[in-house]
Amino acid sequence: MTPAPPSRRTCTKCKQPFLQETRRGRPNSTCTHCRAAARQKNLNPPDLALPEADLNAAAEDLNRSASDFLAAVQQNTPTPLLLHRIKSIQQMVEDAEAAAIRRGRLQGDPWKALAQPMNVSPERLRKRWTEEKLDRRLHRRRKNRDGPVPTTPRRTPPENTTSPPKEPDVGGVPTMTPQFQLASALSCLQRQTSQTIKKTASEAAVSASYLSRILNGTRLPAWDIVKRLTNVCGGDLAELRVLWEAAQRPPAPDTNNRPPAPSQREEAQRAFHAALRGVYLGANRPHLWALRHAMHDTITIGTLARTLKGGYIPDWPVVARLVFALHGRPADLRPLWQAAHQENPPDQDGPRLSAGSFG
């Protein structure tokens, strides 16, 4: 029996014609050259430099925009402007999604694995993010990122206010990541010792190079190392604990391993003030005048001092504005603030009456 002649097909990759031998099974959609190039590409590790840069840039933009949105809410910005910011954040989330999809595909993640956490079907996600759509979205994001970034307007202090001393403005820096905030707090303590990094590392029983990486935020230390460094530098462990716990949390949005807030009100108040001082330490303990200016002069210097020293707990909007001005994340302190305002739970054995109550 004479075999059928080969059929003429067009390669879906290079668009060049090729001859397909007649055989059983599904015919090839690409030519021999493109199939060989694809096999060679699979043998070489993918270049993730550009996808990683896109993902990091998208995360930075989201962090800055979320901080600006919080500042706008605290300044009682009109609702239409808030909705405009929300729409902008939604677009940035889509940019981050595109960058993550691109990186995942280059790493070899199947569409099913990428679609599952997004609660969509693999086919729907594949159609949403074709290679052409990914290229167009990420190219536009890179182009737009070079433009000016809108900033939140600042209020001018009253003219009759005494001029504060010249201090760095703590209100113009985006919110720090928990790991960098912990590194900044440890770095502040280390500088106050007036010791060299080598001497501090020796007293804390760590290498000088490892301590340098901890202080610049590229290494996350274990709690035992944080304790040794804090003791050597004369710091307060309670102030560092919340920062360290926040840095330990996994980034998964559905995961919450935040330790429960203390059940007793007095203990919660002490924990809240220690956590707030930790955030203040992570911001390099700015002058109270600079901190008041960053809060748009909505709080007095005396109230700031009492709050940081532990003698006063303001309402939550004031606390959120204060933590934000210190480049912290208000959500990390909200459970402690709530616990500090709650009533103590009743005794498990029931209410206790004095002997005089029985006559």
Side-chain angles (χ1 to χ4, degrees):
M1 183 176 178
T2 304
S7 59
R8 188 179 182 86
R9 299 178 61 85
T10 301
C11 178
T12 57
K13 292 290 185 180
C14 64
K15 309 302 180 183
Q16 297 296 321
F18 70 97
L19 294 179
Q20 168 70 54
E21 295 183 358
T22 303
R23 55 180 175 79
R24 300 180 64 180
R26 186 173 59 182
N28 292 324
S29 60
T30 56
C31 63
T32 305
H33 175 74
C34 290
R35 290 199 301 272
R39 287 193 295 268
Q40 182 64 31
K41 181 179 179 180
N42 292 334
L43 295 177
N44 299 327
D47 184 8
L48 299 177
L50 185 57
E52 292 286 357
D54 287 335
L55 198 55
N56 287 334
E60 291 172 358
D61 291 343
L62 273 174
N63 179 57
R64 183 184 63 250
S65 296
S67 301
D68 290 344
F69 177 70
L70 177 58
V73 171
Q74 293 174 347
Q75 296 178 37
N76 297 322
T77 301
T79 301
L81 295 180
L82 293 180
L83 293 175
H84 177 74
R85 287 185 177 273
I86 291 174
K87 184 63 177 180
S88 177
I89 291 176
Q90 290 174 342
Q91 294 176 352
M92 292 181 185
V93 170
E94 293 181 1
D95 289 342
E97 179 182 335
I101 293 293
R102 168 58 58 82
R103 187 185 70 167
R105 291 299 297 160
L106 287 178
Q107 290 176 331
D109 295 334
W111 284 105
K112 183 178 180 180
L114 298 176
Q116 184 177 5
M118 302 187 67
N119 199 25
V120 297
S121 66
E123 186 63 25
R124 183 176 180 181
L125 188 64
R126 186 187 295 113
K127 290 181 178 179
R128 172 177 170 79
W129 294 117
T130 63
E131 287 297 320
E132 181 181 356
K133 290 181 179 178
L134 286 173
D135 289 337
R136 186 167 59 248
R137 182 93 192 193
L138 295 177
H139 175 74
R140 183 171 66 246
R141 196 210 64 79
R142 297 185 201 110
K143 183 178 180 180
N144 293 339
R145 197 169 191 261
D146 296 334
V149 178
T151 57
T152 304
R154 307 179 63 89
R155 297 177 184 173
T156 304
E159 296 181 357
N160 56 354
T161 304
T162 306
S163 298
K166 296 296 182 179
E167 292 287 338
D169 184 7
V170 298
V173 182
T175 304
M176 296 182 186
T177 61
Q179 182 172 339
F180 187 79
Q181 199 169 26
L182 174 64
S184 179
L186 292 173
S187 180
C188 181
L189 288 177
Q190 195 278 330
R191 289 195 303 270
Q192 290 178 357
T193 63
S194 300
Q195 295 179 344
T196 62
I197 291 182
K198 184 176 181 180
K199 181 173 178 57
T200 302
S202 176
E203 294 183 2
V206 296
S207 67
S209 60
Y210 183 60
L211 178 57
S212 296
R213 291 193 291 270
I214 291 176
L215 298 183
N216 63 29
T218 58
R219 287 293 183 273
L220 182 60
W223 176 243
D224 182 63
I225 296 179
V226 174
K227 289 196 296 184
R228 297 205 301 264
L229 288 173
T230 305
N231 291 332
V232 168
C233 298
D236 184 352
L237 283 175
E239 297 178 359
L240 276 299
R241 184 70 191 186
V242 172
L243 298 180
W244 182 82
E245 289 173 348
Q248 297 296 317
R249 293 175 200 146
D254 296 332
T255 304
N256 182 14
N257 65 342
R258 180 183 289 113
S263 58
Q264 296 296 324
R265 183 176 182 181
E266 293 77 11
E267 182 183 356
Q269 290 175 346
R270 289 192 295 270
F272 168 78
H273 285 297
L276 186 59
R277 288 194 298 271
V279 177
Y280 181 62
L281 176 64
N284 199 21
R285 290 176 174 165
H287 196 282
L288 296 186
W289 276 106
L291 189 55
R292 179 175 181 261
H293 179 66
M295 296 177 66
H296 308 289
D297 305 308
T298 57
I299 189 172
T300 66
I301 294 296
T303 303
L304 267 177
R306 289 172 55 208
T307 301
L308 293 173
K309 289 181 179 179
Y312 178 66
I313 299 181
D315 294 336
W316 176 247
V318 178
V319 174
R321 193 177 294 112
L322 172 59
V323 176
F324 175 73
L326 293 170
H327 322 311
R329 303 191 306 180
D332 291 337
L333 273 73
R334 187 170 179 84
L336 290 175
W337 179 88
Q338 290 175 329
H341 278 76
Q342 70 182 358
E343 296 295 335
N344 287 333
D347 193 282
Q348 294 182 355
D349 298 331
R352 297 181 179 179
L353 301 178
S354 63
S357 302
F358 297 95

